[in-house]
Amino acid sequence: MTSPELEQLIQLLRKLPGLGPRSARRAALYLIKRREAVMLPLADALVRAAARIRPCSTCGNLDTIDPCAICADPERDPATICVVEEVADLWALERAGGYRGRYHVLGGMLSAIDGIGPEDLAIATLIARARALSDGEVILATNATVEGQTTAHYLSDALTATGVRLSRLAHGVPVGGELDYLDDGTLAAALSARRPI
Amino acid sequence: MTSPELEQLIQLLRKLPGLGPRSARRAALYLIKRREAVMLPLADALVRAAARIRPCSTCGNLDTIDPCAICADPERDPATICVVEEVADLWALERAGGYRGRYHVLGGMLSAIDGIGPEDLAIATLIARARALSDGEVILATNATVEGQTTAHYLSDALTATGVRLSRLAHGVPVGGELDYLDDGTLAAALSARRPI
């Protein structure tokens, strides 16, 4: 019933994660109402980002320069590499602040169900980077999911030969979290990793 | 931390209804990964829709032609006008099927709180259209919210002088709805509007 131009816009918006059919239609109407303020700037931002944003050839972070701003930053410790699943996880760690090392984006997680093996992830480049470190540390910051933990196990096996120090993120009670609402696994992990005051 | 190009894309995506900060970031990463398949086609669809989609000068529907495809369709009864709040409501009625009249999009609802008065909505053009009908019907299909019902009251007062027949959508049990989960207002309305079998 809608015109093909509008229908195609809605179909493309629907592909975005987080937008279902109804919200894609609402988003299209929102855009049409804000042609100059949002719709055309968004089109422009898409074209410019598509032309300029590329994965960093060292760490896999997205940036307009290669190596990326983090890999190129002389203030950041080149001997500490934090391994994450996706660029979104890198952003989350950067937002949290405090980390002054570098990153390595795997581009996914090992998953037998989805047929994702080590050769599908940026693991060979990680091993090469780890091997080049002298007295370095690799922090495995994979997600605390089954796939994330499987990948961390695989990586710790693969990286042991490089002689690098290995660590992983601590499990525990989230800051602001109430014990009564925590799952048993997290609570047990927090208890066994308790620290003297 | 992210590049300005990526940051701007995320800021614009955040403006879309249904996308919060996190989902806007995820959407941006999704798009970068699907540059050729989604990102550039979306930019193209935005530019083309922005250039070609306009509100119908008769009914307010969005289309590339004016009058819109519904107003221009000789098969659709010009003597029946269904009044809706937004184009999304028109689409919902079209998806439901069965309606063969025309529409009138108000562009909002009367709201004292938001300072939206009759002059902010397409009410003058509705009265003019209703006046031009001979033996016509205006269906008030405003939302069943306080603002929607206020607007329907206002419109029924304003349209009485035009001599047009007025009707509104039926209230009742949604198809597939369970009585136990219905609010009392709907159940009372369904009971008082009961129909002989």
Side-chain angles (χ1 to χ4, degrees), chain B residues 21 31 34 51 69 109 118 150 195-196:
Chain B
L31 286 164
R34 286 152 191 90
M109 285 289 124
T150 306
R195 301 174 59 175

Side-chain angles (χ1 to χ4, degrees), chain B:
Chain B
M1 207 49 245
T2 58
S3 69
E5 285 84 358
L6 209 44
E7 196 50 49
Q8 209 201 347
L9 177 59
I10 293 168
Q11 290 307 323
L12 285 164
L13 288 170
R14 269 187 71 164
K15 292 181 191 271
L16 295 183
L19 285 188
R22 181 182 306 269
S23 43
R25 287 194 298 268
R26 286 199 174 270
L29 291 174
Y30 172 92
L31 286 164
I32 298 268
K33 278 194 175 179
R34 286 152 191 90
R35 211 177 294 259
E36 303 300 327
V38 184
M39 194 175 192
L40 294 174
L42 176 58
D44 192 47
L46 285 166
V47 170
R48 274 190 298 135
R52 301 204 49 203
I53 302 286
R54 289 283 177 275
C56 172
S57 58
T58 305
C59 76
N61 184 22
L62 293 170
D63 207 331
T64 49
I65 51 174
D66 185 11
C68 73
I70 293 175
C71 285
D73 185 347
E75 302 271 293
R76 300 192 70 131
D77 179 11
T80 310
I81 297 173
C82 181
V83 180
V84 292
E85 177 177 356
E86 297 286 0
V87 174
D89 305 320
L90 184 160
W91 290 351
L93 285 161
E94 286 296 295
R95 281 199 304 280
Y99 179 62
R100 299 302 300 162
R102 305 207 176 162
Y103 290 96
H104 192 87
V105 180
L106 293 172
M109 285 289 124
L110 295 178
S111 168
I113 290 172
D114 297 331
I116 298 172
E119 66 287 348
D120 299 313
L121 306 176
I123 290 179
T125 50
L126 173 63
I127 294 172
R129 285 182 76 187
R131 211 166 259 147
L133 294 181
S134 60
D135 190 31
E137 178 180 1
V138 169
I139 305 166
L140 299 177
T142 55
N143 289 324
T145 57
V146 173
E147 285 88 359
Q149 296 304 298
T150 306
T151 309
H153 270 288
Y154 178 89
L155 290 177
S156 75
D157 285 352
L159 289 166
T160 305
T162 65
V164 83
R165 272 176 292 134
L166 285 171
S167 60
R168 64 166 179 78
L169 297 185
H171 287 306
V173 183
V175 175
E178 295 186 49
L179 298 195
D180 195 21
Y181 290 90
L182 269 183
D183 65 291
D184 298 345
T186 303
L187 211 48
L191 194 64
S192 76
R194 67 190 179 279
R195 301 174 59 175
I197 302 169

Side-chain angles (χ1 to χ4, degrees), chain A residues 54-62 65-72 78 81-82 90 102-106 122-130 133:
Chain A
R54 290 282 178 274
C56 171
S57 58
T58 304
C59 75
N61 184 21
L62 293 170
I65 52 175
D66 185 11
C68 72
I70 293 176
C71 285
I81 298 174
C82 181
L90 184 160
R102 306 208 175 161
Y103 290 97
H104 193 86
V105 180
L106 293 173
I123 290 179
T125 51
L126 172 63
I127 293 172
R129 285 182 76 188
L133 295 181

Side-chain angles (χ1 to χ4, degrees), chain A residues 59-102:
Chain A
C59 75
N61 184 21
L62 293 170
D63 206 331
T64 49
I65 52 175
D66 185 11
C68 72
I70 293 176
C71 285
D73 186 348
E75 302 273 293
R76 300 193 67 132
D77 179 11
T80 310
I81 298 174
C82 181
V83 179
V84 293
E85 178 177 356
E86 298 285 1
V87 174
D89 304 321
L90 184 160
W91 290 349
L93 285 162
E94 286 296 295
R95 281 198 305 278
Y99 178 63
R100 299 300 303 161
R102 306 208 175 161

Side-chain angles (χ1 to χ4, degrees), chain A:
Chain A
M1 206 49 245
T2 57
S3 68
E5 284 83 359
L6 209 44
E7 194 51 49
Q8 209 201 345
L9 177 59
I10 294 168
Q11 290 308 322
L12 285 164
L13 288 169
R14 270 186 70 165
K15 291 181 191 274
L16 295 182
L19 286 186
R22 181 182 307 268
S23 43
R25 288 194 297 267
R26 287 198 174 271
L29 290 173
Y30 172 92
L31 287 165
I32 297 268
K33 278 195 176 179
R34 286 153 190 90
R35 211 177 295 259
E36 303 301 327
V38 184
M39 195 175 191
L40 293 175
L42 177 59
D44 193 47
L46 285 165
V47 169
R48 273 189 300 135
R52 302 205 49 204
I53 303 287
R54 290 282 178 274
C56 171
S57 58
T58 304
C59 75
N61 184 21
L62 293 170
D63 206 331
T64 49
I65 52 175
D66 185 11
C68 72
I70 293 176
C71 285
D73 186 348
E75 302 273 293
R76 300 193 67 132
D77 179 11
T80 310
I81 298 174
C82 181
V83 179
V84 293
E85 178 177 356
E86 298 285 1
V87 174
D89 304 321
L90 184 160
W91 290 349
L93 285 162
E94 286 296 295
R95 281 198 305 278
Y99 178 63
R100 299 300 303 161
R102 306 208 175 161
Y103 290 97
H104 193 86
V105 180
L106 293 173
M109 282 292 124
L110 296 178
S111 169
I113 289 173
D114 297 331
I116 298 172
E119 66 289 347
D120 299 313
L121 305 177
I123 290 179
T125 51
L126 172 63
I127 293 172
R129 285 182 76 188
R131 210 166 261 148
L133 295 181
S134 60
D135 189 32
E137 177 180 1
V138 169
I139 305 166
L140 300 176
T142 55
N143 288 324
T145 56
V146 173
E147 285 89 358
Q149 296 306 299
T150 307
T151 309
H153 269 289
Y154 179 88
L155 290 178
S156 74
D157 283 352
L159 289 167
T160 303
T162 66
V164 83
R165 272 175 293 132
L166 284 171
S167 60
R168 64 165 179 78
L169 296 185
H171 288 305
V173 182
V175 175
E178 296 185 48
L179 297 195
D180 195 21
Y181 290 90
L182 270 183
D183 64 289
D184 298 344
T186 304
L187 212 49
L191 194 63
S192 77
R194 68 191 178 277
R195 303 176 59 176
I197 302 170

